[in-house]
Amino acid sequence: MESPIRAYPFNEIEPKWHKRWDEEKLYAIHLKDPRPKYYCLVMFPYPSAALHVGHGRNYIIGDAVVRYKMMRGFNVLSPMGFDAFGLPAENAAIKRGIPPKTSTLENIQNMKRQLREWGCGYDWSREVISCLPDYYKWTQWIFLKLYEKGLAYKKLAAVNWCPSCQTSLANEQVVDGQCERCETKVVSKNLEQWFFKITAYADRLLDDLKLLEGWPERVRIMQENWIGRSKGVEIDFPIVASDGKNTESPLTCFTTRVDTIFGATYMVLSPEHPRLPELLRSVSDKAEIETAINRMKAQDLTVRTLLETEKEGVFTGRYVLNPMTKEKIPLWVANYVLMEYGTGCVMAVPAHDERDFEFAKKYKLPIRVVIDNPKKPLKAETMKEAYVDPGILVGSGAFTGIESEESKDKIADFMERNKIGRKTTQYRLRDWLISRQRYWGAPIPILYCDKCGTLPVPEKDLPVLLPENVEFKPTGVSPLRDHLAFQKAKCPKCRGNARREPDTMDTFVDSTWYFLRYITPRDDKKAFDSNDVNHWLPVDQYIGGVEHAILHLLYSRFVTKVLYDLGVISFKEPFARLFTQGMIIKDGAKMSKSKGNVVSPDELIKRYGADTVRLYTLFMGPPERDAEWQDQGVEGAFRFLGRVWRVAIQQEKIENERIEGEALGHKEIRFNLHRTIKKVTEDLEGDFHFNTAVSACMEFVNSLYRFRPSSEVDRNLFRQSVETLVLLLAPFVPHIAEEIWSRLGHSRDIFKEKWPTYDSSALQLEEEEIVIQVAGRVRSRLKVPHDISEKELEALVLKDSKIKEWVNGKTVRKVVVIPHRLVNVVV
RNA sequence: GCCGAAGUGGCGGAACUGGCAGACGCGCACGACUCAAAAUCGUGUGUCCGCAAGGACAUGAGGGUUCGACUCCCUCCUUCGGCACCA
């Protein structure tokens, strides 16, 4: 890149203030400070090699909020740390051929330098690094707490396995059947794994979303979808005995549409249903049936769950009884029924379910209408598709004639009374699989003793240290399994030899509680102090990318609720307000090293200074939306800061310059000044409209360039204008603001100053311009006194020569007067 | 398929509660300064007609409500995101 352009001396200013802020400990807070607290948290980063401007948006937004709140008189907590365990760090280390710890700590140093250069300030005395024992000791403690509560358990299950990362994954880490990290196709594998019982909290995680008014609607909806609660009924279908003796227990299905029960003309099991072998025992020609079932089982699950996939099935030769109609209906097995959801058994109502309809048509199964369309009566023989909307029950025994929505409860109650079925709730959410067969994570604090079984590591023995001299290349089993020193353990009960759990925890466990650790980060007696944490949390403002809408944000909410139940914290939700900033796009794609479209902040800062990068980042568009990075836009921000510098520092020069444009007077400048304060304040108090706040400042600078102070009073206003401008800009461009502030003769740090307030009387002009429309089109405008009455205004308008021309002969039907704004003459 | 967000000049984007569409910035053109360039300062810049004054058209498309619609309602199209054979 070219050498720095001639401009204000940002390369002297910026390092000077970084040093000053460090020395003054501008960001260090005291927990017991009497001012109102404000906890501003940005999502802590993975320590990758270097940050790009896309990452920067997060920290710049956060820093602007922090500095603004400081000026509003809050005791602002702004901590930072590193989410340092996990696959990305380990994979990067493997590539470089060095231990993950070395590369991670190296990366952290580089990122800290970058954050400092950006001018983003944190209370570094509170730094947490999740891969260091003084942190993960307490991550392990959290695990033990969940274990005590029965919320951490081990089970053999079909789990998602990434063949490239050589580890199991949580459901949340599988995107479109692929590994979230490496996009390799995920396969299913039967393994014994550790899970967190997040499903036990499904209802509360869902219901408490309503408490999160400060969260973006879309994030709440995404979590709602993910949890996927559906209320319905479990119904027992008695099996018709093939040998006359009815000894088999009934098959249970789950449905959200009990209202359609009278139309259930067959029943379908998932090919994986555990009772299939038993059901088939008495069937004579079962070879063919079993072949068909095995074919369905072999079908790739990701393909099988595609809507387009052809439905396939086979009749089992068995029958069940529809418990309401007492009819004998055939029992089928079909590929469209999933074992993972509900009971793996579905009552099929072809007339009112698209999938059942398609299946029934293919295999010529009976279709019976039981919900009629009130607008257009249905006929089973002529139906082209299932009728899935509400309607009136027909052919439904005692329930005929009832509206379908209403009938759901009535039928369910009837079933409960007669022990046919019971109301129940199903969730899409699965328990959180937390074991990883990889090295770079916190060891799961569990011991196995041949005599005493599975035992938690006693709290006093924490941390279970992650050994450093390990051959850690992924092999599919945890490298800790064969590490002798690590495995050398004693059973806490019988003192005999015990083995350690070799798996490590998912990195997302580390980040479920880091925001608690920031309060008392060096406490080696406990994870956090309940009193302090209860004072400082929930986080007032959380800021981060929307990619964590489900994963991190759901897991953190879960752990918070567990800690609440344990009585160690007094709040149910960790983050009161959430702001999700948009991505930065370059050349049509998300900025990423692999795509080769990253813009490095280091070079930009060298060329233009950090304030320019910050200002452009905030100005480029609404912060919650994606934005396209344009190098030329950076120049614009840089030019603006030059204008600010000149108007503030080199005032005399401007005073002496020849007036070329239209000059503005005292009154207009005063008006603009207060209007700008109002606009910037409202933009920051609202949903962080930095882009319009910056543009308001630009407008004000433009107007200052038209001001020619001619008197002492004028010069005072000019000075006041400049000082206010600098205060308003300080959260966005802290270095230049500090520098101008001190050059204007202030010795106190600008962030210890009060945020300016506006005077509404200055916004009240005696004369205002009114827009005049004829038939809704602007035809003229008038300057009128502020306190003119509507009558007077109307009369004035009708006398106006231009308006007369437009009215010309037509009758005036009505005159609409909107005070202080507009008059519309309707002809 | 369901849910959500968005669609405005050459570009990024503004527009309060329904009240001057295009603020602010980029780009472009012209002028001032300069021997010249850069930087800076100024002027102009939606489209069409017009020398101009001015007028017509214009916020994804089409309807509607209203004195008045980027904004509200209906139908549809496109892009992005989430969920999805979930019973």
Side-chain angles (χ1 to χ4, degrees):
Chain A
M1 237 184 229
E2 301 150 52
S3 60
I5 324 167
R6 197 192 117 240
Y8 78 96
F10 60 85
N11 44 5
E12 290 160 33
I13 294 172
E14 294 185 353
K16 168 179 155 190
W17 287 100
H18 295 154
K19 200 165 155 247
R20 191 77 64 87
W21 293 331
D22 288 349
E23 287 164 359
E24 283 184 9
K25 296 197 164 51
L26 184 61
Y27 294 91
I29 58 148
H30 293 287
L31 293 183
K32 311 289 185 211
D33 191 308
R35 289 174 299 168
K37 68 98 182 176
Y38 190 88
Y39 188 172
C40 180
L41 180 70
V42 293
M43 288 182 183
F44 69 163
Y46 279 125
S48 52
L51 297 167
H52 57 63
V53 294
H55 301 121
R57 201 181 195 191
N58 194 210
Y59 310 112
I60 290 165
I61 289 171
D63 191 63
V65 172
V66 166
R67 292 179 187 264
Y68 171 67
K69 290 292 176 183
M70 285 169 81
M71 294 173 83
R72 296 301 311 226
F74 288 94
N75 182 29
V76 182
L77 171 57
S78 171
M80 182 49 78
F82 297 91
D83 191 8
F85 267 141
L87 288 188
E90 187 179 328
N91 289 342
I94 290 170
K95 225 180 220 170
R96 291 179 59 190
I98 54 174
K101 187 174 177 185
T102 312
S103 72
T104 298
L105 294 179
E106 232 178 80
N107 287 344
I108 287 173
Q109 284 318 307
N110 189 43
M111 287 168 83
K112 284 171 82 163
R113 172 192 60 81
Q114 288 186 301
L115 290 169
R116 185 180 141 99
E117 280 178 15
W118 260 318
C120 294
Y122 306 99
D123 185 348
W124 284 112
S125 73
R126 299 178 179 279
E127 177 181 12
V128 301
I129 297 177
S130 67
C131 68
L132 299 182
D134 66 343
Y135 182 87
Y136 71 70
K137 170 178 180 179
W138 303 111
T139 304
Q140 292 170 336
W141 176 82
I142 298 254
F143 177 95
L144 293 180
K145 290 288 142 191
L146 273 98
Y147 185 80
E148 273 169 36
K149 278 234 127 196
L151 294 167
Y153 67 95
K154 195 177 195 184
K155 72 166 177 193
L156 179 71
V159 303
N160 303 304
W161 180 266
C162 174
S164 157
C165 296
Q166 288 283 316
T167 183
S168 55
L169 299 171
N171 267 5
E172 287 78 11
Q173 288 163 321
V174 180
V175 178
D176 295 328
Q178 297 177 343
C179 170
E180 179 214 28
R181 295 242 66 93
C182 66
E183 295 180 8
T184 305
K185 203 164 167 270
V186 166
V187 299
S188 181
K189 206 168 169 180
N190 279 311
L191 284 173
E192 255 209 297
Q193 299 279 286
W194 284 93
F195 290 84
F196 282 169
K197 208 183 234 169
I198 191 169
T199 53
Y201 283 74
D203 268 324
R204 286 163 65 189
L205 287 167
L206 189 65
D207 292 338
D208 287 354
L209 286 171
K210 289 186 196 74
L211 306 175
L212 302 176
E213 279 161 26
W215 281 40
E217 182 76 21
R218 64 171 165 159
V219 174
R220 294 190 331 218
I221 290 171
M222 279 162 79
Q223 293 212 353
E224 222 174 280
N225 285 343
W226 189 260
I227 296 167
R229 175 164 70 191
S230 48
K231 298 197 167 176
V233 181
E234 263 179 19
I235 310 173
D236 299 327
F237 284 65
I239 296 164
V240 177
S242 43
D243 55 1
K245 279 175 264 163
N246 207 339
T247 52
E248 292 165 285
S249 58
L251 279 170
T252 303
C253 79
F254 172 75
T255 182
T256 54
R257 294 292 310 268
V258 243
D259 52 322
T260 64
I261 176 74
F262 287 85
T265 53
Y266 63 101
M267 167 160 264
V268 205
L269 293 180
S270 160
E272 291 84 7
H273 200 282
R275 289 192 56 192
L276 264 174
E278 155 209 332
L279 286 162
L280 288 173
R281 203 167 301 145
S282 58
V283 178
S284 44
D285 312 315
K286 60 183 169 201
E288 225 168 285
I289 302 171
E290 279 170 345
T291 315
I293 291 172
N294 286 334
R295 196 172 52 236
M296 287 185 247
K297 269 192 190 166
Q299 207 171 12
D300 187 302
L301 209 68
T302 53
V303 175
R304 205 175 111 190
T305 51
L306 282 176
L307 206 63
E308 304 87 80
T309 303
E310 171 88 11
K311 295 194 183 8
E312 222 183 292
V314 64
F315 174 51
T316 58
R318 302 293 309 262
Y319 292 86
V320 295
L321 279 188
N322 180 324
M324 296 300 277
T325 64
K326 309 286 185 215
E327 261 175 310
K328 204 172 123 180
I329 59 174
L331 179 66
W332 285 65
V333 174
N335 63 346
Y336 73 94
V337 178
L338 307 170
M339 199 55 224
E340 293 76 49
Y341 189 78
T343 59
C345 170
V346 177
M347 67 175 209
V349 186
H352 307 294
D353 181 281
E354 283 169 31
R355 294 151 301 176
D356 299 343
F357 185 86
E358 190 189 327
F359 194 78
K361 279 280 173 199
K362 181 170 174 185
Y363 292 103
K364 307 218 165 29
L365 289 156
I367 298 171
R368 182 180 308 149
V369 173
V370 289
I371 309 284
D372 212 356
N373 184 347
K375 290 181 197 139
K376 196 173 155 230
L378 299 166
K379 264 195 137 148
E381 306 78 55
T382 55
M383 280 171 87
K384 292 260 160 20
E385 56 181 7
Y387 178 76
V388 296
D389 297 326
I392 305 296
L393 264 61
V394 293
S396 297
F399 301 95
T400 298
I402 304 177
E403 200 277 324
S404 58
E405 285 307 308
E406 192 192 330
S407 75
K408 283 184 182 173
D409 240 6
K410 297 198 161 144
I411 297 178
D413 287 343
F414 175 87
M415 287 180 165
E416 286 192 336
R417 273 198 309 276
N418 293 282
K419 309 233 171 349
I420 296 171
R422 59 237 139 241
K423 291 181 193 168
T424 171
T425 307
Q426 289 288 337
Y427 303 90
R428 213 195 70 100
L429 182 71
R430 300 285 89 144
D431 276 343
W432 173 17
L433 194 169
I434 59 129
S435 21
R436 298 290 176 272
Q437 291 67 50
R438 293 285 296 253
Y439 165 67
W440 194 231
I444 295 175
I446 286 288
L447 290 163
Y448 302 102
C449 168
D450 288 336
K451 265 194 247 161
C452 312
T454 303
L455 292 161
V457 173
E459 229 176 284
K460 65 171 173 49
D461 294 344
L462 294 183
V464 176
L465 282 174
L466 180 70
E468 292 190 12
N469 54 335
V470 179
E471 181 52 55
F472 59 86
K473 294 225 168 56
T475 58
V477 289
S478 171
L480 301 183
R481 192 190 59 177
D482 303 320
H483 191 278
L484 293 176
F486 178 79
Q487 283 299 349
K488 212 171 142 201
K490 288 269 179 270
C491 171
K493 232 185 197 169
C494 70
R495 308 309 301 166
N497 286 337
R499 284 170 295 116
R500 284 190 192 280
E501 167 61 54
D503 285 358
T504 54
M505 283 188 252
D506 181 4
T507 326
F508 281 98
V509 179
D510 307 333
S511 55
T512 54
W513 73 284
Y514 76 106
F515 43 90
L516 302 175
R517 186 66 181 169
Y518 279 143
I519 311 299
T520 51
R522 305 289 163 255
D523 190 337
D524 58 2
K525 300 281 181 298
K526 50 193 183 303
F528 50 83
D529 180 89
S530 293
N531 283 330
D532 289 333
V533 158
N534 287 340
H535 171 70
W536 277 93
L537 282 115
V539 168
D540 294 275
Q541 183 66 60
Y542 200 17
I543 302 170
V546 75
E547 67 274 15
H548 290 110
I550 293 169
L551 292 151
H552 163 61
L553 290 168
L554 190 67
Y555 297 150
S556 306
R557 293 184 60 224
F558 161 59
V559 168
T560 299
K561 286 177 192 305
V562 174
L563 295 172
Y564 173 85
D565 288 352
L566 284 164
V568 292
I569 59 175
S570 62
F571 47 93
K572 296 179 180 172
E573 287 288 340
F575 316 119
R577 282 167 56 87
L578 172 70
F579 186 86
T580 52
Q581 89 277 0
M583 280 184 321
I584 289 191
I585 308 290
K586 181 85 199 293
D587 311 320
K590 178 184 175 173
M591 224 172 252
S592 76
K593 209 159 62 180
S594 57
K595 292 201 182 76
N597 61 348
V598 293
V599 175
S600 156
D602 295 8
E603 287 172 62
L604 281 174
I605 287 173
K606 230 175 260 156
R607 187 157 185 221
Y608 299 104
D611 282 336
T612 291
V613 176
R614 292 173 63 115
L615 189 78
Y616 174 63
T617 303
L618 294 170
F619 180 64
M620 63 193 303
E624 71 282 6
R625 288 234 287 269
D626 290 354
E628 170 90 29
W629 183 272
Q630 291 180 324
D631 290 330
Q632 280 177 329
V634 182
E635 303 243 4
F638 182 72
R639 279 205 284 261
F640 170 71
L641 291 181
R643 274 167 80 76
V644 171
W645 182 260
R646 285 189 296 277
V647 82
I649 300 297
Q650 303 158 350
Q651 303 169 26
E652 319 80 39
K653 234 182 177 177
I654 284 162
E655 264 182 79
N656 297 334
E657 250 174 46
R658 196 152 47 97
I659 298 179
E660 281 183 279
E662 184 201 352
L664 291 179
H666 186 99
K667 220 183 282 174
E668 288 114 315
I669 293 295
R670 192 170 135 76
F671 175 83
N672 286 344
L673 169 64
H674 289 274
R675 191 181 54 177
T676 307
I677 299 171
K678 183 167 191 266
K679 173 73 177 154
V680 174
T681 307
E682 286 173 356
D683 278 347
L684 295 187
E685 286 296 320
D687 233 351
F688 304 144
H689 300 140
F690 302 110
N691 54 328
T692 48
V694 170
S695 78
C697 293
M698 287 172 166
E699 280 180 87
F700 187 52
V701 169
N702 290 348
S703 82
L704 279 183
Y705 269 72
R706 299 183 174 283
F707 188 31
R708 307 291 169 229
S710 54
S711 64
E712 197 50 39
V713 180
D714 278 0
R715 273 187 284 276
N716 282 339
L717 175 64
F718 189 89
R719 187 182 164 91
Q720 189 202 347
S721 295
V722 168
E723 293 201 339
T724 307
L725 173 73
V726 171
L727 287 166
L728 294 177
L729 285 170
F732 313 141
V733 285
H735 316 85
I736 192 175
E738 287 271 31
E739 182 67 23
I740 294 173
W741 191 249
S742 80
R743 290 201 192 194
L744 290 175
H746 299 282
S747 52
R748 200 160 80 141
D749 192 282
I750 196 169
F751 297 102
K752 294 187 173 148
E753 297 293 335
K754 268 217 191 92
W755 187 253
T757 51
Y758 63 92
D759 177 355
S760 30
S761 73
L763 297 171
Q764 200 74 173
L765 297 176
E766 295 124 55
E767 265 207 332
E768 52 196 21
E769 200 179 60
I770 304 286
V771 171
I772 308 182
Q773 302 181 321
V774 177
R777 320 208 58 154
V778 182
R779 294 306 181 187
S780 179
R781 43 197 88 213
L782 274 182
K783 280 226 159 123
V784 300
H786 168 75
D787 50 7
I788 193 168
S789 75
E790 289 191 27
K791 280 245 163 66
E792 286 172 299
L793 179 59
E794 187 178 327
L796 211 60
V797 165
L798 292 173
K799 265 196 294 186
D800 184 78
S801 61
K802 268 195 206 150
I803 298 306
K804 272 186 177 165
E805 236 173 81
W806 279 102
V807 172
N808 186 31
K810 294 166 204 141
T811 39
V812 175
R813 278 203 294 155
K814 192 167 148 191
V815 181
V816 182
V817 180
I818 311 292
H820 315 302
R821 281 178 189 264
L822 149 154
V823 176
N824 190 6
V825 182
V826 187
V827 291

